[in-house]
Amino acid sequence: MPRRGRLLSVSLAALMALGTVSLTFAEPAGAADAETVVATDGVWGIDIAGGSLSTVEKAPNGEQFVTNRTVSADGATVGAVSRRGFAGTYAVGDHAERVACDAPGGCVPLRATGDGSVGYFTVESDGTQRAQIWLSPNSYHSTDEPAVTGGRFTDASGRFFAYSADSTGKQYVDSVQRYRTEDVRLTRTATAASVWGTRLWTPGSGAGVVTSYDLKTKKTVTTVSTGAPCTVKELQVTGRWLYWNCGPTGAAGVYDLTAKKNITVPSGPALVGDGYLVQHDRTAGKLELTDFHTGAAQAPRAVADLPAGGTADQRRLTWAVDRFGGDIAYVGEDKAVHIVQSGVPAQGLTKIESDLDDETLDAKGRNGASTTWDSTWQFNKPATWTFAVKDSLGKTVRTLRGGDGASAQVEWDGRTDAGTYAYNGSYTWALTATAADGTGTSVTTGTVDLTGGLQGHHDLGGFRFGEMVTLNSSGGLTLHYTEGKGTLDWKQSGSGWPAGTLAVPFGDMGSDRCAELLVRTPSGELRRYAGKCGSGAYVPGSSHTSLGTGWNAYNVLTAPGDLTGDGRTDLLARKASTGDIYVFANDGHGKLLAGKKIRSAWTTYNHIVGVGDLNGDGIGDVLARRKDGTLFRYDGAGDGTLKDRVTVFTDWGSTYNTVVGVGDITGDGKNDLVVRDTSGNLYRNDGKGNGSFTSRTKIATGWNVYKGVF
């Protein structure tokens, strides 16, 4: 798995000492065209993207901070303040970049990204600038950004961003590497540019030509002729809409990437939303909206009063447009932020980019691997989302939910909704996002293999599939592993085991989520051999702990799975002298609790086999074959006892001398049986998941060489 990207963490202890967080509350909109008003003590920079309103405001102590608030899809509800960095001057002289504006002291040019992050430049004590993308109240991406002067953000979309610098004449394109390091950096001559999803749009060769370059695949993927009579000077892309202009007073248009036609729009500084653009008519003192979503530009209409002010271009200083949603935000003469809905029908919800983690999650985090499955999705508008993980039987084991922005960030730690670790194995996941404005759904699916979680029944290999253990006459104890195809595919052997050794593939008896191997020696000592999770064979001297002596009193030792309902594998034993059945509960600390008798005189059974959960209730079950060939199933009750028996087969297994509840070896999530007949043939009966089995399938021959099959 790629190593994680570096995020510079900043302690807010010092910042918080400067003042407490100021909460502002929105006045709810009344009519559909009413404004939502967020009271402030002044604003020194503003942007809005993906329903996230970013501003520079004062805290109660008078110091300025970059702040974020979540705006609902209808614009009527605005959330509490979340900070994105100190906008004043630090003791060392560092401060946020400021530009001239009507507000005293200048404004901080902000660039909201659509996923809750916001970018701006900081000026260091030597006068150089560095771009920062603030991801949360206490972390930002800036580690690898060069020191420049005259820096300005060109665009940002989710985790991708572009900025230019006067000092170098270059444009820098990169991504916020929240979870992984990826090489998408471009350093190019500064030109017009826009980022949407993974696409970087820039002027091509010839008047009006624009190309898109995929930052992931590093290939130019689209070339369009917009009809612009110039080499494009400014670009803004929002889904199907590609806005261009030939300079502040030159021609302007919107190229419809779907219909493949150009739409003429008014010239002059503009910000583009989904199907519309907004301009500041300083003469009239209005913000005016031009609706072009039908394929033709309508006459501009006023959406807000905004006086001319003294700054020629006030985009993102006093007003901004959410290109990931329908909102327009501006700073009124009352110093409040006003939010207005565009009223323009939006495109349906689409996923515009995603960054998915590896197909394997190691919940233990061994060898530097991730301990969570970390993935992000970027949408074209705010959405609520549900992330569901299902096992091989289609059962949902974990559900995560979120939303109120135009992105989804998922961190699955391998646990179930109950808080326990899921079983190792293959899982499917689905991220279902629903547009907050009700205009569509986006579904993304995939698979992830979990390791480092709980091991399945009879699983010594660490990936849920069951294993067989054999002992031959030479003292070789062999673990036979499967890859989930219904056969035994490879093996590991350890030597030195005496005749009469009995092995019981067990479960984890501690907290390392590795299944132990119990071994009864010929002298009657029961040993717990530490789990290896498939990393090696066992020899008598392998790390082990004695669980006591006298275990020769039992002629059956088997692991039924969890009988007591605590999630841990327990031991079932039959006393040779009486046929009584005992349960020895797993205490979770490497020991077995004292035996509890749960059945009497099971003397008519010649095979008693722990088989794990056969019926899908999460509790271990037991099979018992009577001497007349009737096979019964005893379902675990979850309290350490067994329910009444149910007939599974009649006249079954007259030639079998070994029956093993091997766990799942077919990869379907259902526990199977493996049997050996007197001729040494090995068969598999597939579990149906309802407590019964299919007819047998031969999987091996020559197994008479083994004195013990466990």
Side-chain angles (χ1 to χ4, degrees), residues 532-556:
K532 296 176 177 289
C533 280
S535 62
Y538 291 90
V539 296
S542 295
S543 176
H544 66 273
T545 301
S546 178
L547 298 179
T549 58
W551 286 86
N552 276 339
Y554 301 98
N555 58 9
V556 171

Side-chain angles (χ1 to χ4, degrees), residues 98-371:
R98 302 236 169 203
V99 298
C101 69
D102 291 351
C107 294
V108 178
L110 301 176
R111 185 65 65 137
T113 64
D115 63 358
S117 301
V118 60
Y120 54 93
F121 281 86
T122 57
V123 182
E124 299 180 0
S125 56
D126 62 0
T128 59
Q129 301 172 330
R130 290 186 189 272
Q132 294 182 351
I133 303 287
W134 279 77
L135 311 175
S136 69
N138 60 357
S139 66
Y140 61 81
H141 168 93
S142 180
T143 308
D144 301 320
E145 301 308 321
V148 299
T149 57
R152 60 194 178 278
F153 275 96
T154 310
D155 204 0
S157 173
R159 61 197 181 94
F160 297 96
F161 59 90
Y163 64 90
S164 300
D166 291 340
S167 59
T168 62
K170 299 296 183 182
Q171 188 171 82
Y172 305 92
V173 184
D174 206 350
S175 69
V176 171
Q177 297 172 11
R178 188 184 298 268
Y179 296 122
R180 284 164 288 282
T181 296
E182 61 181 342
D183 179 19
V184 301
R185 165 74 78 177
L186 291 178
T187 301
R188 57 189 303 275
T189 300
T191 67
S194 185
V195 183
W196 184 256
T198 64
R199 303 289 181 86
L200 173 69
W201 294 83
T202 57
S205 178
V209 176
V210 176
T211 64
S212 74
Y213 174 85
D214 192 294
L215 294 168
K216 280 187 173 180
T217 63
K218 302 182 184 300
K219 294 179 180 179
T220 298
V221 291
T222 308
T223 300
V224 298
S225 181
T226 65
C230 62
T231 298
V232 172
K233 299 298 188 294
E234 183 177 351
L235 283 169
Q236 297 180 50
V237 177
T238 299
R240 68 186 288 184
W241 313 113
L242 187 156
Y243 168 84
W244 57 265
N245 71 35
C246 294
T249 60
V254 173
Y255 185 79
D256 185 339
L257 293 165
T258 300
K260 302 188 185 312
K261 70 172 188 176
N262 192 51
I263 305 167
T264 300
V265 297
S267 63
L271 288 176
V272 177
D274 187 357
Y276 67 95
L277 62 82
V278 177
Q279 295 174 303
H280 185 193
D281 186 336
R282 298 180 66 213
T283 301
K286 305 283 186 182
L287 286 179
E288 296 196 329
L289 181 149
T290 299
D291 181 348
F292 54 75
H293 84 277
T294 61
Q298 307 300 307
R301 58 180 171 87
V303 293
D305 294 325
L306 185 63
T311 306
D313 186 354
Q314 297 178 34
R315 290 179 292 179
R316 299 187 177 90
L317 303 179
T318 61
W319 65 279
V321 169
D322 189 347
R323 66 172 172 154
F324 297 90
D327 293 331
I328 302 155
Y330 70 96
V331 183
E333 291 184 286
D334 56 359
K335 296 185 179 180
V337 176
H338 297 249
I339 300 171
V340 183
Q341 289 274 285
S342 71
V344 177
Q347 301 172 74
L349 180 72
T350 59
K351 181 201 77 174
I352 61 175
E353 196 271 325
S354 61
D355 176 29
L356 303 182
D357 209 337
D358 293 347
E359 292 184 351
T360 298
L361 165 63
D362 184 347
K364 290 186 178 180
R366 291 170 290 201
N367 301 320
S370 172
T371 56

Side-chain angles (χ1 to χ4, degrees), residues 437-517:
D437 63 6
T439 58
T441 300
S442 171
V443 180
T444 310
T445 61
T447 60
V448 58
D449 291 339
L450 175 66
T451 64
L454 298 181
Q455 293 188 248
H457 183 67
H458 236 254
D459 173 18
L460 295 172
F463 199 68
R464 186 160 191 170
F465 304 137
E467 275 76 49
M468 299 278 287
V469 179
T470 60
L471 178 70
N472 65 22
S473 58
S474 300
L477 192 71
T478 301
L479 276 62
H480 300 260
Y481 298 92
T482 180
E483 297 178 356
K485 298 177 292 188
T487 56
L488 301 173
D489 302 295
W490 56 286
K491 57 191 176 182
Q492 292 180 311
S493 298
S495 59
W497 295 92
T501 296
L502 182 145
V504 183
F506 205 61
D508 182 20
M509 296 184 68
S511 59
D512 65 356
R513 303 191 296 281
C514 272
E516 329 281 359
L517 179 68

Side-chain angles (χ1 to χ4, degrees), residues 12 71 210 215 373 380 503:
L12 286 188
V71 181
V210 176
L215 294 168
W373 191 82
N380 66 329

